[in-house]
Amino acid sequence: PTPTTLLTAADLGGHCTDLAVDWLHDKLYVVVVSDTGRRWSLMATTPDGRDVATVLAGLTERPEHFVVDPYLG
């Protein structure tokens, strides 16, 4: 199969640094660093790359660790 690009840096407003999958609710959670490298955001999207939403924005420090818990939300 041919690989397909689902999301680009332009779609997210920066570059992905981490990824978590909520397999129960079919969501991908992505930590994004801005092009300036000074702000981080947590974005959510569907596995096909549609419905991108900002969950948390304006973080001034890179999140060191994050996980998704499908059972507890």
Side-chain angles (χ1 to χ4, degrees):
T2 303
T4 302
T5 301
L6 298 178
L7 294 170
T8 65
D11 296 328
L12 297 172
H15 298 279
C16 173
T17 60
D18 286 304
L19 172 74
V21 178
D22 177 347
W23 47 268
L24 190 60
H25 298 103
D26 283 333
K27 293 282 186 183
L28 301 178
Y29 290 89
V30 183
V31 174
V32 177
V33 62
S34 68
D35 290 332
T36 63
R38 295 183 179 179
R39 298 278 180 195
W40 286 263
S41 301
L42 177 61
M43 310 291 284
T45 185
T46 53
D48 61 5
R50 297 180 190 201
D51 300 321
V52 178
T54 302
V55 177
L56 190 62
L59 300 171
T60 57
E61 295 183 15
R62 179 181 178 175
E64 292 185 26
H65 182 75
F66 87 104
V67 295
V68 175
D69 185 341
Y71 292 113
L72 298 177

